[in-house]
Each structure stands twice: as structure tokens, then as C-alpha cells.
Amino acid sequence: MQRLIIDFLNVTESAAIASLPWVGSGNKYEADRAATSAMRLFLNEIAMDGIVVIGEGEIDQAPMLFIGERVGTGIGPAVDLAVDPIDGTTSTIHGQNDAITVIAAAPKGSLLHAPDMYMEKIATGPEAKGAININRSLEENLYAVAEAKGKKVNDLTVIIQERERHQSMIDQIRTLGGKVLLFEEGDVIPAMSTCIEHLKIDMFIGIGGAPEGVLAAVGIKSLGGDMQARLLPRTNEEYERCKQMGLSDPKQALTHDQLVNAEDCLFVATGITNNMLISGIRQNNNKFITKSIIIHGKDKKLRYVETEHFCK
């Protein structure tokens, strides 16, 4: 997998740059189309036998990379891919922070294969690995994380997306004395923030997209943290689709290893606009300057990459 790092970095950088003209445009379709087209183009140039096992599109939902789509030259390592050409499309088209382009990859058969649907998620960093349990109450998880980290609950900071569906959790955390850090869009980086020591975030919890959940799970695993999840099918059709993809119990609690069952995994993301880990694209005269992060599960290192792209 390591030899694919630069190839995937080229993919995320190219997709991010392709989306730049649509920052602040209000045009979601064109922003998605531009990023997806660039991602597909450059993925198909990589010497690999890749398959999109979880993403934001089904085969009939252009312009997204669809679940089950094969990418790469077909010659090379067999790779499972989780992709999001733009995590934070609303942020992108409104000219706001927290938009990235992101890919996660692992050997074939290692990533959760599931439809694009809602997913319940909980994550924490290395210090509290093994303490969280999605089957327990929020209060029990808060006390377990606090104990593992040698803290009191009122010393904890929990990051959660600002959504009406999360209000009861937000209220409960604050009632117990914990602090809540709210974010608006894109939950991949916020989930991973639990593993970045200087950000001082103890736990992530909430309901969001399944593709973003798997993307975050790869990053968190690569940084030594812990994550659990549960798919939330809302219709019989979604439930049956999960079963067709190999989940005998679509509503089961998913351990971290069920989300990503490989240490040899990659996470690559490029900023479109600023977020808590990397800044967005800057344009300076005849060049674009991108900031990216690269994480390889085997070495447990977070690498920051700045690239200057000279206009042709």
C-alpha cells in the first residue's frame, strides 16, 4: 500500500483544485461533478485493481463515484477504496471552512462494504482505546473515557455536529459538566481530531454518513485510536441493500476491525477550505498551493504535505 501514497495524494490534490472554481458558487451539482470527474480520471491512471466499496453514489446517481465502481488500470494490488470527492460540499459552495477531498484505502476485503446511508458513530483517541462501547449509554461512555484518560467528566471535550438530531446529546454532555465543541459540516476530520493530542478533544459522537464513517475509521485506526459504529437503515430497501452487501444483521454494532480490518491502510486528504488540521487551497500568481495530510496505518505517523502546483 505504501507505494500508492503519492498516487493517492495526486488524486486528492487534483480533485480539490478542480473544485476550487465552485467555492462560494452555490452550485452543489457542479462542485461535485468537478471534484468527482478529476478524482475518477486520476484514480484510473493508478496501477491497481481498485473497487469503491463505500462512497456517496450508487450506480444511477451521477456524478458520484458509485459503490462497486472499478478504478485503476486493473493491473497491480487489489485495493478497497472509500472516497469522498468533497467532504463538506455545502461548506464548499458557501465559501465556508471544513471542506476536504479524501480517500482511504486498504487491501481487498478490508473495508466495510455498505450503502450510502446514515451511521451512528463514536470515536476516541489512543489513550482511551478500548473504553468506548456504542451499545452503552452516552453517560456510560463519557465516564469510561474520562476514567481511561485519568480525567473527570467535566474535564472532557466532546466534538459533535451541530444538528437538531444531536441536541439531546449536546444537552446531556453539558448537564454532566462536559464541554461540547460544535462543527457545522464534514465529520471526517472532527472524528479524527480525537487522535491529535494538541487539539485536546476527548471524544467524537453523532450520526452522519456511512462513507465518512469508514473514511474516519481508517484515519483513526492509523493513528492508534478507537471507533465503533452502527448503520441506521431507514427503509426496507436500505435494510435489504445492506444484506445484499454481506451484512447479515444491518443494525449490528460494528467494531473498529469490522470497519477496517487491516493495519496496512492509507488515509489521504487535501484541504479545499480551511479546517482544524490543514488549510485550504491558496492561489498565488501562476500557482496553486495545497495542504494535505497522509497517514499510513503501519507506521502510525501523521504527515503534512504542502505542494506547489504551477499552472500550465
Side-chain angles (χ1 to χ4, degrees), residues 145-159:
V145 169
E147 182 179 3
K149 301 188 87 168
K151 295 182 175 184
K152 297 179 179 178
V153 171
N154 58 12
D155 295 323
L156 296 182
T157 297
V158 181
I159 191 164

Side-chain angles (χ1 to χ4, degrees), residues 110-295:
S110 299
L111 297 185
L112 176 71
H113 189 193
D116 177 15
M117 61 191 304
Y118 274 119
M119 173 185 273
E120 180 184 356
K121 314 168 195 179
I122 184 170
T124 191
E127 287 181 286
K129 186 174 182 178
I132 56 173
N133 186 332
I134 201 166
N135 286 323
R136 293 181 186 153
S137 68
L138 173 56
E139 182 175 354
E140 288 174 309
N141 277 298
L142 288 169
Y143 277 101
V145 169
E147 182 179 3
K149 301 188 87 168
K151 295 182 175 184
K152 297 179 179 178
V153 171
N154 58 12
D155 295 323
L156 296 182
T157 297
V158 181
I159 191 164
I160 187 166
Q161 190 174 24
E162 188 175 12
R163 291 290 186 270
E164 185 177 348
R165 62 180 177 268
H166 296 148
Q167 192 58 52
S168 63
M169 289 188 283
I170 293 167
D171 293 341
Q172 187 176 5
I173 294 164
R174 288 172 172 165
T175 298
L176 291 168
K179 298 174 180 64
V180 175
L181 181 60
L182 298 173
F183 67 94
E184 182 56 33
E185 289 288 337
D187 66 5
V188 174
I189 295 296
M192 290 172 55
S193 70
T194 57
C195 300
I196 312 298
E197 189 174 358
H198 73 267
L199 295 177
K200 301 186 184 306
I201 296 170
D202 301 290
M203 195 169 85
F204 163 89
I205 194 164
I207 295 169
E212 292 84 356
V214 175
L215 286 160
V218 173
I220 291 166
K221 191 179 194 74
S222 300
L223 292 171
D226 196 8
M227 181 172 175
Q228 294 183 10
R230 189 192 330 269
L231 291 168
L232 299 173
R234 294 173 293 176
T235 64
N236 287 335
E237 183 181 359
E238 286 187 345
Y239 189 91
E240 290 303 318
R241 184 93 166 95
C242 290
K243 293 185 73 172
Q244 290 169 14
M245 290 185 177
L247 288 167
S248 57
D249 179 6
K251 294 183 178 180
Q252 72 185 81
L254 299 167
T255 66
H256 208 165
D257 283 344
Q258 287 172 303
L259 295 170
V260 50
N261 188 25
E263 293 294 326
D264 187 17
C265 51
L266 294 176
F267 178 95
V268 183
T270 298
I272 299 170
T273 60
N274 296 338
N275 62 68
M276 62 176 65
L277 281 185
I278 46 177
S279 57
I281 302 168
R282 303 197 320 270
Q283 188 168 4
N284 186 4
N285 295 325
N286 66 332
K287 63 186 177 184
F288 296 105
I289 301 169
T290 58
K291 297 287 186 69
S292 304
I293 52 175
I294 296 172
I295 314 169

Side-chain angles (χ1 to χ4, degrees), residues 10-79:
N10 185 46
V11 171
T12 60
E13 288 175 340
S14 299
I17 290 171
S19 72
L20 189 61
W22 305 101
V23 172
S25 69
N27 193 327
K28 182 180 186 300
Y29 180 88
E30 289 300 331
D32 279 334
R33 184 194 60 78
T36 301
S37 296
M39 181 171 276
R40 178 179 282 116
L41 174 67
F42 287 96
L43 280 173
N44 281 325
E45 293 181 354
I46 300 174
M48 65 174 179
D49 180 12
I51 184 168
V52 178
V53 298
I54 191 162
E56 286 201 330
E58 299 287 344
I59 194 167
D60 58 345
Q61 294 176 344
M64 306 306 256
L65 280 152
F66 62 84
I67 297 166
E69 181 170 354
R70 293 198 170 273
V71 292
T73 63
I75 301 172
V79 179

